[in-house]
């Protein structure tokens, strides 16, 4: 089981990038992956929320837990001033 400190470190790393553009790569199972771009909207004690602009002017919000990053089910890349920062 993951140490609570490890999950807190991941949360603290992500908190600094709230409001910035991120790229999500999520493993959806059975060799399916979803790659989307959005804005890191908010962080909570157990989850973080990313706002994704969809087709036809629709807005979609997806949430993932910090353990998803730890188990590599979700990868977040933050694009800040043409720099790519990978959160893991």
């Amino acid at each position: 089981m993951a140490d609570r400190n490890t999950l807190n470190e991941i949360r603290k790393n992500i908190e600094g990038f709230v409001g910035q553009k991120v790229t999500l790569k999520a493993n959806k199972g059975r060799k399916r992956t979803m790659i989307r771009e959005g804005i890191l909207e908010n962080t909570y004690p157990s989850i973080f929320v990313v706002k994704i602009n969809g087709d036809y002017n629709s807005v979609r919000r997806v949430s993932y837990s910090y353990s998803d990053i730890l188990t590599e089910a979700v990868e977040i890349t933050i694009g800040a001033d043409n720099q790519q920062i990978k959160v893991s």
Side-chain angles (χ1 to χ4, degrees):
M1 186 169 157
D3 186 15
R4 177 172 247 124
N5 291 331
T6 305
L7 294 176
N8 284 335
E9 288 177 21
I10 293 171
R11 182 175 54 84
K12 287 178 184 176
N13 287 341
I14 292 176
E15 279 181 349
F17 298 108
V18 171
Q20 293 190 13
K21 187 176 179 180
V22 297
T23 302
L24 283 174
K25 182 178 179 184
N27 182 3
K28 302 297 269 183
R30 292 191 174 243
K31 299 181 183 179
R32 292 181 294 158
T33 58
M34 175 189 78
I35 300 174
R36 299 275 191 251
E37 290 186 355
I39 296 174
L40 183 61
E41 191 172 56
N42 210 339
T43 59
Y44 297 100
S46 298
I47 61 170
F48 60 95
V49 178
V50 177
K51 183 170 84 171
I52 298 173
N53 290 330
D55 297 333
Y56 306 110
N57 294 327
S58 66
V59 175
R60 185 173 157 206
R61 287 177 176 81
V62 293
S63 62
Y64 295 100
S65 68
Y66 302 112
S67 61
D68 290 333
I69 294 175
L70 185 65
T71 59
E72 297 179 357
V74 175
E75 295 178 15
I76 296 181
T77 306
I78 299 167
D81 300 329
N82 296 327
Q83 294 178 343
Q84 296 294 326
I85 302 168
K86 186 173 180 181
V87 177
S88 60

